[in-house]
Amino acid sequence: MGLFDRFKKGLEKSRTGLWGRLSGIFSRSRLDESAFEEMEEALLAADVGVDTSVWLVEQVRRLAREQRVDQPSELPRLLAQAMASAFEGLDSSMHLATSGPTVVLVVGVNGVGKTTTIAKLAHFYRRQGKQVLLAAGDTFRAAAIDQLLTWGQRVGCDVIRHRPGADAAAVLYDALQAAQARGADMVLCDTAGRLHNKAPLMAELSKMYKVAQRELPGAPHEVLLVVDGTTGQNALNQARTFREAVQVTGIAVTKLDGTAKGGVILPIVRELRIPVKWVGLGEKMDDLEPFDPAAFSQAICEP
Ligand SMILES: Nc1nc2c(ncn2[C@@H]2O[C@H](COP(=O)(O)OP(=O)(O)OP(=O)(O)O)[C@@H](O)[C@H]2O)c(=O)[nH]1
Ligand SMILES: [Mg+2]
């Protein structure tokens, strides 16, 4: 299966949800004002959010004018084009270190899929022949460390860990030392995500950030914020919160396979201007795709 088909399959629920609402418009005989109004409602229902829905319809209107489109059947193509333009100027690729290990901090609230995403990333880079180290930076729960260990065994990479309750920044420090000593290509660091404890959590994250900065020039190369796609607009709010504490360089949107709320990717990129870099389309190791704006826009707008 090619990338486009994998997106189409993984986004099936979002696609059919949005398409189900739009198909009535696309099959109309005339393109009139009410068609645009209905399109805006359909986008709102797909968790695109008010501002971005209004913006998208504006873009479609402009494209229709510029391209002298008067058939509603042309709208899916125009909508895909409008969506794709929301991603312009944002680089979805991962920034890798030019020498020495690439350090990736993975952050996000409880249960969004941080640990699973780390395992998937490890698998992705292992398949490219890279040596990957995992850092068990979620020291808050013993089970979190065990979960990472299990994934490490499955994927085939070592896990640097301390006892439960240990200082997360010290775990990262050790992982960075180990990575340099062993010549590893990549350190993927898990973090705790307890939101009921917002201030200490953010303090811990910024401490980890500083340790990475101090120990390796250019690190952390990526701070990936993981958000759960099924939470729709909440994901957008989480991105706003985390961005206040750490410099988020990219977003991974998980669980898109199980939701019709995949439209939330649009306000995230358009309103926050943070690139989506990965999408989680299932629970297995292979179910992570590098984000592709064109494939996403087309997959979500096509019948
Ligand atoms: N369907 C689906 N499930 C996912 C995806 N990503 C993660 N999950 C599931 O979401 C649940 C939580 O994942 P974790 O990786 O443990 O989440 P976490 O953010 O590390 O959670 P805490 O450590 O408790 O904060 C698990 O059951 C995963 O299998 C995805 O892309 N699709
Ligand atoms: Mg976890």
Side-chain angles (χ1 to χ4, degrees):
M1 242 202 296
L3 177 72
F4 177 62
D5 292 314
R6 289 200 302 277
F7 265 74
K8 233 174 147 167
K9 184 166 169 285
L11 291 166
E12 189 60 31
K13 290 194 177 146
S14 297
R15 219 164 63 73
T16 48
L18 184 62
W19 181 253
R21 294 194 181 86
L22 290 173
S23 55
I25 313 171
F26 297 159
S27 55
R28 284 167 173 233
S29 54
R30 264 173 4 96
L31 187 58
D32 55 20
E33 196 44 38
S34 65
F36 290 113
E37 278 165 22
E38 266 183 57
M39 181 184 268
E40 195 175 307
E41 276 162 33
L43 290 167
L44 276 172
D47 262 274
V48 175
V50 180
D51 291 355
T52 298
S53 297
V54 170
W55 181 82
L56 277 172
V57 173
E58 259 329 282
Q59 303 307 305
V60 173
R61 231 190 264 272
R62 183 177 56 75
L63 291 169
R65 224 173 20 242
E66 283 170 10
Q67 301 177 20
R68 299 180 196 287
V69 165
D70 55 6
Q71 289 305 311
S73 59
E74 292 281 297
L75 286 181
R77 183 178 60 78
L78 297 187
L79 183 58
Q81 213 178 324
M83 282 185 182
S85 71
F87 299 96
E88 270 166 22
L90 289 176
D91 182 5
S92 309
S93 66
M94 290 281 279
H95 301 144
L96 303 182
T98 42
S99 67
T102 296
V103 180
V104 183
L105 280 185
V106 178
V107 306
V109 304
N110 276 79
V112 288
K114 292 180 296 297
T115 307
T116 312
T117 301
I118 287 176
K120 291 170 174 177
L121 284 169
H123 178 63
F124 180 92
Y125 287 108
R126 285 275 295 138
R127 277 200 335 209
Q128 295 188 352
K130 295 199 192 298
Q131 193 193 332
V132 180
L133 267 187
L134 306 183
D138 181 358
T139 56
F140 193 59
R141 293 176 304 124
I145 302 172
D146 294 339
Q147 189 192 358
L148 198 68
L149 277 172
T150 306
W151 273 118
Q153 277 162 3
R154 240 182 265 171
V155 177
C157 43
D158 286 343
V159 178
I160 304 299
R161 65 185 196 275
H162 289 187
R163 286 164 196 281
D167 180 6
V171 178
L172 177 59
Y173 176 86
D174 277 359
L176 297 177
Q177 299 303 313
Q180 290 175 93
R182 300 178 194 182
D185 301 299
M186 198 153 229
V187 176
L188 304 175
C189 185
D190 202 1
T191 62
R194 47 201 193 280
L195 194 66
H196 59 274
N197 236 344
K198 188 180 152 194
L201 167 64
M202 296 305 172
E204 182 173 283
L205 289 181
S206 57
K207 187 172 168 194
M208 293 172 90
Y209 192 95
K210 283 182 196 133
V211 164
Q213 271 185 322
R214 193 185 64 212
E215 295 307 315
L216 264 179
H221 304 83
E222 290 280 356
V223 178
L224 273 187
L225 173 68
V226 180
V227 296
D228 176 342
T230 66
T231 63
Q233 292 289 304
N234 262 340
L236 186 63
N237 292 331
Q238 288 165 19
R240 288 200 177 99
T241 305
F242 273 87
R243 199 171 58 166
E244 287 167 21
V246 277
Q247 204 192 328
V248 177
T249 57
I251 293 186
V253 186
T254 60
K255 310 186 195 180
L256 285 178
D257 51 305
T259 180
K261 298 182 175 182
V264 73
I265 285 184
L266 290 153
I268 288 177
V269 296
R270 198 192 70 87
E271 293 170 35
L272 303 178
R273 304 302 293 159
I274 305 173
V276 170
K277 299 200 169 176
W278 301 92
V279 285
L281 302 174
E283 290 187 272
K284 295 193 303 297
M285 257 195 270
D286 288 316
D287 295 330
L288 184 76
E289 295 292 340
F291 185 68
D292 183 284
F296 170 81
S297 305
Q298 218 183 324
I300 206 163
C301 290
E302 277 200 355

